[in-house]
Amino acid sequence: MQEDIQILQNSDLFNGIGADEIKAMLHCLMATSKTFEKDQFIIHAGDKVNNVGMVISGSAIIIKEDFWGNRNLMSVIEPGDMFGEVYACLPNTEVTVAVVAKEPTKVMFFNMKRILTTCSNSCEFHASLINNMITALATYSVRMNNKLDHMSKRTTREKLLSYLSSEAMRAGSATFTIPLNRQQLADYLSVDRSAMSSELSKMQKEGLIEYNRNDFTLYEID
């Protein structure tokens, strides 16, 4: 449990709230935990949710599939990251995405209504919790806008450069590690995996990038 509290304390949702205060708030937030196996669905498209989930250990992906089963990867969720927060604010709205465990994954769920409404105990830190959730919702919006920016590029190379540039800036270094394997990256950018792999190889030969699996280094373009 102490490890769980450490993850919660380092998360955006509980930013600025101490470990003892978090422990006291879990009952108020109707917190529950569940472990999922690799490739197990945590949320299915079409579900209606009242809870926001947070990955405690492992990792998960948010995907969207069309009628024919074509998969678009929306985001990767790692320890301390939340999911379902937008839909939990709209509990009568069907979820249009799915959340799937990438590996054995432990998730803690919190009741959104309890997050956004101060309880009868008037927890001293509840106002901070509400502010943190609002910030998290804004961050989600920015993240989706970034994805749209990558996908708006016309060619596979432009999409790759846009994504890799954003990851380098996020890491604050020209050398960084991305959280996606090749298939997940292709799904995220909505491009063909073979064409994308070919483009990455060309970019490396041209001296634009250097990579080994998920480790990348970007070089200045003349």
Side-chain angles (χ1 to χ4, degrees):
M1 184 62 181
Q2 187 58 41
E3 293 180 358
D4 294 358
I5 295 297
Q6 185 65 49
I7 294 295
L8 296 177
Q9 192 173 8
N10 291 332
S11 71
D12 290 340
L13 181 60
F14 291 96
N15 180 44
I17 303 176
D20 291 339
E21 288 75 21
I22 292 174
K23 290 178 183 178
M25 297 175 77
L26 293 182
H27 178 72
C28 170
L29 301 178
M30 299 175 64
T32 59
S33 297
K34 186 174 180 180
T35 300
F36 298 85
E37 298 301 321
K38 180 181 178 181
D39 295 328
Q40 184 177 356
F41 279 75
I42 301 172
I43 296 177
H44 290 84
D47 287 349
K48 295 181 180 180
V49 298
N50 298 304
N51 298 326
V52 55
M54 180 183 294
V55 171
I56 301 299
S57 64
S59 59
I61 55 175
I62 300 177
I63 60 173
K64 189 168 187 176
E65 294 183 325
D66 64 17
F67 179 81
W68 296 274
N70 297 311
R71 177 175 289 191
N72 181 11
L73 191 149
M74 307 297 291
S75 183
V76 177
I77 319 162
E78 299 180 323
D81 293 339
M82 290 187 294
F83 60 89
E85 60 269 38
V86 173
Y87 291 100
C89 289
L90 303 166
N92 294 319
T93 301
E94 290 186 356
V95 176
T96 60
V97 297
V99 182
V100 184
K102 284 180 63 181
E103 57 188 310
T105 299
K106 181 178 181 181
V107 176
M108 188 173 290
F109 296 95
F110 310 95
N111 183 273
M112 178 61 88
K113 186 175 181 180
R114 290 294 188 95
I115 291 176
L116 297 178
T117 306
T118 54
C119 65
S120 57
N121 295 327
S122 298
C123 302
E124 180 181 352
F125 291 90
H126 208 121
S128 296
L129 189 74
I130 294 172
N131 287 333
N132 290 344
M133 176 54 73
I134 293 172
T135 299
L137 290 168
T139 300
Y140 172 85
S141 177
V142 170
R143 188 166 64 246
M144 289 300 101
N145 283 338
N146 288 340
K147 176 177 169 61
L148 288 173
D149 184 48
H150 304 326
M151 293 180 62
S152 69
K153 308 304 181 185
R154 298 184 63 182
T155 67
T156 297
R157 173 172 294 207
E158 289 173 342
K159 290 180 181 181
L160 283 167
L161 289 174
S162 177
Y163 171 74
L164 294 174
S165 173
S166 69
E167 287 297 296
M169 289 189 289
R170 186 171 68 88
S173 171
T175 298
F176 54 92
T177 301
I178 67 172
L180 309 175
N181 62 34
R182 292 294 180 269
Q183 186 59 59
Q184 291 166 349
L185 180 57
D187 290 341
Y188 179 76
L189 297 175
S190 294
V191 297
D192 178 77
R193 177 180 175 176
S194 296
M196 182 194 73
S197 296
S198 177
E199 196 61 51
L200 284 171
S201 180
K202 291 178 183 177
M203 290 163 64
Q204 181 160 249
K205 289 178 181 178
E206 294 172 16
L208 297 177
I209 64 172
E210 186 176 339
Y211 62 88
N212 179 29
R213 296 183 181 274
N214 287 25
D215 298 325
F216 284 79
T217 298
L218 303 188
Y219 298 101
E220 292 186 10
I221 301 174
D222 295 331

